[in-house]
């Protein structure tokens, strides 16, 4: 990548780090604020509710102000949210922490809306796919390193519940500084803008005429929901059932996100040689089997199997997303926005699992992600078998 692609590329790393850190910290909030798992999972609910709210307004702002300006605004909002969250943790305020997480999530949502098309348009046409693949790998690096940062801080400075002292606020301060640094770099490298998209008077309702697309929206909802739910609940499984310490459990989540990184790289290199239908079915069936065995074993081995689902998750989003807009290219821009909004599954599914955990138990709660994987198997069977 040349220097004009550095900032958009690092934005992928930033939102990957923030997303993984946020999911990992649910157990920390649960113990630090002495709240129920349902209350703690609200951190994730708000984080994945934000794209549903921010996606379409952000698209409108891009049409009015351009990609470069909106990217800088998204970084500024993220920096403000990270700073507010650090202060809320230091002030031992759960309600303020929730508000700060929502601000962070708005900034990250805006990054997702602007970064993909911006990076593609800044690239030469023959390099767009390669540059987007590299940026996606940077995102996976962020999701892999994020939990390790958390574990490192907790090992060096254990939480003092009595004195309300914790090291996690330092991480959010660092993320605020990094976001601000990216804004400065965008000015220093004289980041160019690209042609603004035209405002189209297309109706979202047109999309619902296409049954295949509706099924794909459900698939994205399930995929994001199960990925986030497992990333959150596996820490609880490892610490409660696997009997690892909290910092150890959080560090092990890096295996989950690292599996996604490895899977994306492998799939990116060999996708043109693979049968997408068989690959997708194998990935979804592999993940559902891992979750089923984790319920059966109910021990440390089960925790390892849950971590391995990250490898299978790696190929699901690009396959679903690309197949979703294959037959509706004339509505691709609106379809993409709706698919991003379907990521609200990352808010709803973890919360449903949290309710099951509090009301029935941790072990039984994993039936929910297992069922979701079976829905994805059905999507693959009906949507990909004729491709």
């Amino acid at each position: 990548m040349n220097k004009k692609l550095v900032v958009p590329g690092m934005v992928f790393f930033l939102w990957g780090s923030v997303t993984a850190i946020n999911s990992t910290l649910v157990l920390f909030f649960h113990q630090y604020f002495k709240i129920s798992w349902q209350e703690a999972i609200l951190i994730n609910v708000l984080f994945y509710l934000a794209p549903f709210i921010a996606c379409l307004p952000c698209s409108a702002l891009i049409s009015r102000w351009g990609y470069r300006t909106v990217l800088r605004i998204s970084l500024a909002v993220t920096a403000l949210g990270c700073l507010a969250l650090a202060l809320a943790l230091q002030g031992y305020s759960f309600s303020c922490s929730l508000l700060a997480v929502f601000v962070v999530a708005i900034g990250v949502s805006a990054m997702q809306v602007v970064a993909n098309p911006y990076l593609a348009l800044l690239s030469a046409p023959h390099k767009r796919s390669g540059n987007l693949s590299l940026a996606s790998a940077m995102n996976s690096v962020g999701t892999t390193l994020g939990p390790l940062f958390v574990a490192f801080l907790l090992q060096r400075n254990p939480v003092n519940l009595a004195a309300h002292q914790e090291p996690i606020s330092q991480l959010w301060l660092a993320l605020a500084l990094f976001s601000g640094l990216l804004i400065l770099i965008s000015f220093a490298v004289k980041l160019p803008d690209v042609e603004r998209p035209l405002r189209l008077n297309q109706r979202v309702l047109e999309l619902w005429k296409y049954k295949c697309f509706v099924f794909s929206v459900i698939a994205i909802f399930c995929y994001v929901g199960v990925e986030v739910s497992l990333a959150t609940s596996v820490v609880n499984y490892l610490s409660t059932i696997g009997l690892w310490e909290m910092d150890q459990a959080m560090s092990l989540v890096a295996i989950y996100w690292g599996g996604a990184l490895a899977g994306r790289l492998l799939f990116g290199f060999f996708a043109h040689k693979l049968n997408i239908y068989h690959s997708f079915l194998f990935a979804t069936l592999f993940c559902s089997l891992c979750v089923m065995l984790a319920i059966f074993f109910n021990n440390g081995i089960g925790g390892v199997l849950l971590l391995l689902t990250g490898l299978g998750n790696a190929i699901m989003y690009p396959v679903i997303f690309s197949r979703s807009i294959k037959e509706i290219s004339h509505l691709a821009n609106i379809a993409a926005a709706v698919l991003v909004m379907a990521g609200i599954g990352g808010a709803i599914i973890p919360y449903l699992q949290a309710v099951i955990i509090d009301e029935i138990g941790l072990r039984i709660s994993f039936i929910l992600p297992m069922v979701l994987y079976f829905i994805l198997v059905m999507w693959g069977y009906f949507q990909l078998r004729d491709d």
Side-chain angles (χ1 to χ4, degrees), residues 1 5-17 112 115-117 119-120 123 127-145 223 227 257-269 313-315 317-319 321:
M1 289 188 183
L5 301 179
V6 170
V7 174
M10 291 307 295
V11 164
F12 278 77
F13 172 81
L14 175 60
W15 102 54
S17 300
Q112 294 181 56
N116 277 293
L119 187 140
S123 305
K127 291 186 175 181
R128 285 177 181 174
S129 296
N131 286 343
L132 282 171
S133 295
L134 288 173
S136 296
M138 287 295 294
N139 181 269
S140 293
V141 170
T143 59
T144 302
L145 293 180
Y223 161 74
E227 182 183 52
W257 295 114
L261 171 59
R264 285 177 180 174
L265 289 174
L266 288 172
F267 187 70
F269 285 125
N313 287 340
I315 76 167
Y317 190 87
V319 171
F321 199 97

Side-chain angles (χ1 to χ4, degrees), residues 120-329:
L121 292 171
L122 284 173
S123 305
H126 66 286
K127 291 186 175 181
R128 285 177 181 174
S129 296
N131 286 343
L132 282 171
S133 295
L134 288 173
S136 296
M138 287 295 294
N139 181 269
S140 293
V141 170
T143 59
T144 302
L145 293 180
L148 295 178
F149 290 148
V150 174
F152 175 75
L153 287 173
L154 290 173
Q155 286 176 343
R156 289 196 61 186
N157 302 288
V159 177
N160 187 333
L161 295 177
H164 299 160
Q165 293 178 348
E166 46 70 41
I168 302 302
S169 58
Q170 300 172 24
L171 181 57
W172 290 107
L173 285 173
L175 289 169
L177 290 173
F178 184 65
S179 301
L181 180 62
L182 288 181
I183 296 174
L184 295 177
I185 293 175
S186 73
F187 284 102
V189 301
K190 297 180 180 179
L191 186 67
D193 207 349
V194 294
E195 185 178 358
R196 302 176 188 180
L198 297 175
R199 298 183 186 182
L200 301 177
N201 295 320
Q202 295 170 316
R203 296 176 300 172
V204 176
L205 291 177
E206 288 185 47
L207 292 171
W208 308 119
K209 298 177 182 177
Y210 301 90
K211 294 181 180 179
C212 291
F213 178 77
V214 174
F215 196 5
S216 295
V217 171
I218 295 171
I220 288 289
F221 176 90
C222 292
Y223 161 74
V224 177
V226 74
E227 182 183 52
V228 176
S229 190
L230 284 177
T232 304
S233 57
V234 71
V235 180
N236 198 358
Y237 187 104
L238 291 169
S239 61
T240 305
I241 296 174
L243 301 180
W244 277 288
E245 296 294 329
M246 181 171 66
D247 57 342
Q248 295 175 324
M250 289 181 174
S251 64
L252 286 170
V253 176
I255 297 174
Y256 179 82
W257 295 114
L261 171 59
R264 285 177 180 174
L265 289 174
L266 288 172
F267 187 70
F269 285 125
F270 299 108
H272 62 288
K273 297 182 179 181
L274 298 173
N275 182 297
I276 302 300
Y277 170 61
H278 292 148
S279 299
F280 189 88
L281 286 187
F282 176 81
T284 48
L285 287 170
F286 168 77
C287 289
S288 59
L289 178 62
C290 286
V291 177
M292 186 186 304
L293 290 175
I295 297 171
F296 176 76
F297 287 128
N298 198 39
N299 56 21
I301 295 175
V304 173
L305 289 170
L306 290 176
L307 292 173
L308 291 178
T309 59
L311 184 62
N313 287 340
I315 76 167
M316 295 181 195
Y317 190 87
V319 171
I320 299 171
F321 199 97
S322 59
R323 181 62 182 83
S324 300
I325 61 176
K326 181 179 179 180
E327 298 174 358
I328 51 172
S329 57

Side-chain angles (χ1 to χ4, degrees), residues 18-20 22-24 26 37-38 40-53 101-102 105 109 112 217-233 256-257 313 317 338-355 368-369 372 376:
V18 171
T19 301
N22 185 77
S23 297
T24 305
V26 172
W37 192 254
Q38 287 183 56
I41 209 71
L42 288 174
I43 297 294
N44 256 5
V45 171
L46 288 177
F47 195 87
Y48 286 91
L49 179 64
F52 192 79
I53 296 172
V101 164
F102 187 71
S109 301
Q112 294 181 56
V217 171
I218 295 171
I220 288 289
F221 176 90
C222 292
Y223 161 74
V224 177
V226 74
E227 182 183 52
V228 176
S229 190
L230 284 177
T232 304
S233 57
Y256 179 82
W257 295 114
N313 287 340
Y317 190 87
V338 172
L339 290 169
V340 171
M341 292 169 69
I344 195 174
I348 295 173
I349 301 303
Y351 187 76
L352 289 178
Q353 188 174 8
V355 172
L368 176 61
L372 294 176
L376 292 170

